């Protein structure tokens, strides 16, 4: 039985299937517990953090590997040439906190900056960081649940696929670069369980959307390059011309959503129309890279993004869990009435965040939000609840870095 979390008040409904696959990453054991009486602890989550800095502060034309002194590890340096930014990462630390809320701490930032500074004369400081993001790796635990090594970097990155007694097929472990092999092993086990041994997974020959030969007929994938939007080709492949065409009748959609970032209004519309984006955070964090490239620029872009999405969706629904990033149209009269706003989560473009002073955005746990921020949000027509969780979510998701 499932429930649509994007439709508050909806009744649960049943979905029936011949096979069910549990591919839920770090939530694997939590899902297994729904059907297995005493599931073994199959995972050991590890936290990884990246930071973004201006390319002018740490020039990089190509991706590079930097060894971390005295730690037997290394970090990557990867340029984002379309935005003149570079990101550094990743850390690899044991994690026992809330699976839904991994945080980038000050220590994480310092670790990455120190590694970069040790291999260069850049002298990076926290003030250079424009964006951060943290995630969890679903690393396989040692057999029997024993923790042989204190370092998650020593744990295997291999994946495992098996069928539990309740018939659910579980795949976990692995990493992004082996996702095709993980899919192949999983599908093959499912097909075998269904009694069909003649068919095999076709992922080896399956092209991704936007691959050469899969573009829309009669379009030229290189069209955006001549208009100064070459980053669309790297992002959308042969669908780049489809995205650019959204601006044929609306030229304003071919303008960047924020100064210093390449993402266009057309990308916001495409994400809403074709990529199931329903919240501002979907666009800024998970369809474009705006929020992790430059948190301050993402704040300034939130209002424009909301306007474009509202035009396509006809108004926004409340957010999912806790309302994070959810958008809606305010019904109240007065200032801000009728304009798309983000329910307590997005700072509008008129918000002067710099005047609010520092905020401990990088620290773990909930953060305290000054009344000045809440007052400015409300004055601009954004609904902010008084409960501590809502205020904390607003700070975590949308405040620029405290550094």
């Amino acid at each position: 039985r499932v429930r649509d979390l994007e439709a508050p008040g909806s009744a649960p409904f049943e979905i029936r299937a011949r096979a069910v696959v549990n591919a839920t990453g770090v939530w694997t054991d939590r899902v297994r517990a729904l059907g297995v009486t005493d599931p073994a602890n199959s995972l050991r989550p590890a936290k990884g953090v990246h930071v973004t800095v201006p390319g002018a502060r740490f020039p990089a034309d190509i991706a590079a590997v930097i060894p971390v002194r005295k730690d037997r590890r290394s970090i990557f340096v990867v340029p984002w040439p379309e935005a003149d930014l570079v990101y550094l990462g990743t850390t690899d630390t044991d994690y026992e906190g809330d699976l839904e809320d991994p945080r980038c701490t000050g220590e994480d930032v310092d670790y990455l900056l120190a590694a970069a500074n040790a291999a260069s004369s850049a002298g990076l400081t926290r003030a250079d960081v424009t964006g951060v993001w943290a995630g969890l790796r679903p690393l396989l635990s040692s057999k029997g649940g024993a923790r042989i090594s204190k370092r998650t970097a020593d744990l295997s990155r291999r994946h495992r696929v098996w069928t539990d007694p309740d018939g659910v097929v579980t795949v976990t472990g692995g990493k992004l670069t082996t996702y095709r092999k993980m899919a192949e092993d999983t599908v093959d086990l499912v097909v075998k369980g269904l009694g069909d041994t003649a068919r095999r997974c076709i992922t080896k020959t399956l092209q991704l959307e936007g691959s050469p030969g899969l573009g829309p007929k009669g379009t030229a994938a290189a069209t955006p390059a001549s208009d100064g939007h070459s980053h669309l080709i790297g992002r959308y492949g042969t669908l780049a011309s489809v995205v650019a065409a959204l601006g044929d009748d609306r030229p304003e959609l071919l303008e960047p959503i924020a100064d210093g970032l390449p993402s266009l209004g057309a990308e916001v519309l495409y994400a809403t129309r074709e990529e199931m984006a329903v919240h501002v955070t979907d666009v800024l964090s998970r369809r474009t890279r705006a929020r992790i490239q430059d948190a301050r620029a993402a704040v300034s872009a939130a209002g424009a993004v909301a306007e474009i999405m509202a035009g396509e969706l006809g108004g926004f629904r409340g957010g999912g869990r806790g309302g994070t990033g959810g958008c809606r149209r305010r019904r109240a009269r007065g200032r801000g009435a009728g304009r798309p706003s983000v329910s307590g989560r997005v700072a509008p473009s008129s918000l002067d965040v710099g005047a609010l002073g520092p905020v401990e955005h990088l620290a773990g746990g909930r953060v305290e939000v000054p009344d000045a921020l809440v007052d400015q949000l409300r004055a601009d027509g954004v609904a902010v609840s008084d409960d501590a969780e809502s205020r904390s979510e607003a700070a975590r998701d949308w405040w620029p870095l405290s550094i």
Side-chain angles (χ1 to χ4, degrees):
R1 294 174 64 82
V2 298
R3 185 190 299 274
D4 181 6
L5 296 179
E6 296 296 337
S10 64
F13 57 94
E14 291 186 354
I15 295 179
R16 297 184 179 274
R18 296 176 61 198
V20 175
V21 174
N22 174 13
T24 54
V26 292
W27 291 273
T28 293
D29 289 332
R30 191 176 296 178
V31 173
R32 292 181 65 222
L34 299 175
V36 178
T37 303
D38 187 21
N41 186 18
S42 64
L43 293 180
R44 181 177 170 187
K47 187 179 74 171
V49 165
H50 294 79
V51 302
T52 304
V53 298
R57 291 291 290 119
F58 201 89
D61 296 328
I62 60 173
V65 179
I66 296 178
V68 181
R69 296 178 181 178
K70 301 179 181 180
D71 200 18
R72 293 182 295 151
R73 290 195 65 251
S74 59
I75 67 169
F76 289 93
V77 177
V78 183
W80 268 321
E82 74 276 12
D84 193 26
L85 296 167
V86 172
Y87 69 84
L88 312 172
T90 176
T91 59
D92 197 331
T93 55
D94 207 4
Y95 186 79
E96 296 181 347
D98 184 353
L99 296 181
E100 298 185 21
D101 195 20
R103 299 291 182 94
C104 175
T105 67
E107 289 75 14
D108 293 327
V109 173
D110 292 341
Y111 175 91
L112 294 173
L113 297 182
N117 289 335
S120 71
S121 58
L124 295 173
T125 69
R126 290 188 180 187
D128 293 309
V129 177
T130 62
V132 300
W133 71 99
L136 299 177
R137 304 179 185 89
L139 302 182
L140 294 174
S141 295
S142 306
K143 290 184 178 180
R147 295 193 172 187
I148 299 176
S149 174
K150 294 183 179 180
R151 288 165 30 98
T152 54
D154 294 334
L155 295 180
S156 171
R157 264 55 176 173
R158 294 182 178 275
H159 66 274
R160 182 184 170 211
V161 185
W162 73 93
T163 303
D164 273 320
D166 61 354
V168 174
V169 173
T170 293
V171 54
T172 194
K175 53 185 180 179
L176 181 62
T177 51
T178 60
Y179 80 96
R180 292 266 191 171
K181 178 59 176 172
M182 296 172 68
E184 180 178 7
D185 291 347
T186 303
V187 171
D188 287 347
L189 183 59
V190 169
V191 171
K192 180 179 178 181
L194 295 176
D196 188 350
T197 58
R199 292 192 297 171
R200 305 285 290 181
C201 180
I202 62 172
T203 188
K204 283 185 177 180
T205 58
L206 188 66
Q207 290 181 281
L208 296 177
E209 189 174 42
S211 297
L214 291 184
K217 295 182 180 179
T219 61
T223 300
S226 61
D227 297 329
H229 304 139
S230 58
H231 76 280
L232 295 179
I233 297 175
R235 178 69 61 82
Y236 300 97
T238 56
L239 294 176
S241 56
V242 175
V243 179
L246 295 175
D248 287 349
D249 299 323
R250 298 173 62 184
E252 72 276 8
L253 291 180
L254 297 181
E255 296 296 325
I257 59 175
D259 292 339
L261 294 177
S263 301
L264 310 176
E267 295 178 70
V268 177
L269 181 58
Y270 185 83
T272 308
R273 185 176 293 175
E274 305 291 344
E275 297 178 334
M276 298 185 291
V278 295
H279 303 309
V280 170
T281 48
D282 291 337
V283 172
L284 293 178
S285 299
R286 293 176 283 276
R287 304 301 188 275
T288 69
R289 298 184 176 98
R291 189 171 134 196
I292 64 177
Q293 288 181 326
D294 191 329
R296 295 174 179 86
V299 169
S300 68
V305 170
E307 293 284 356
I308 295 171
M309 296 181 71
E312 183 68 15
L313 298 175
F316 291 110
R317 294 173 288 177
R321 181 182 180 273
T324 302
C327 302
R328 68 186 180 194
R329 285 192 181 276
R330 286 179 59 84
R331 297 179 180 176
R333 297 179 181 179
R335 185 177 181 183
R339 84 178 257 197
S341 66
V342 180
S343 55
R345 303 301 182 259
V346 174
S349 57
S350 63
L351 176 62
D352 182 10
V353 182
L356 299 175
V359 55
E360 187 53 39
H361 176 89
L362 299 176
R366 298 296 178 185
V367 293
E368 294 297 324
V369 184
D371 291 337
L373 173 63
V374 177
D375 291 342
Q376 288 198 40
L377 286 171
R378 287 172 174 162
D380 207 70
V382 179
V384 182
S385 301
D386 282 325
D387 62 281
E389 182 176 358
S390 294
R391 292 165 67 102
S392 179
E393 290 289 352
R396 184 194 69 175
D397 288 342
W398 294 110
W399 273 35
L401 305 177
S402 64
I403 48 186

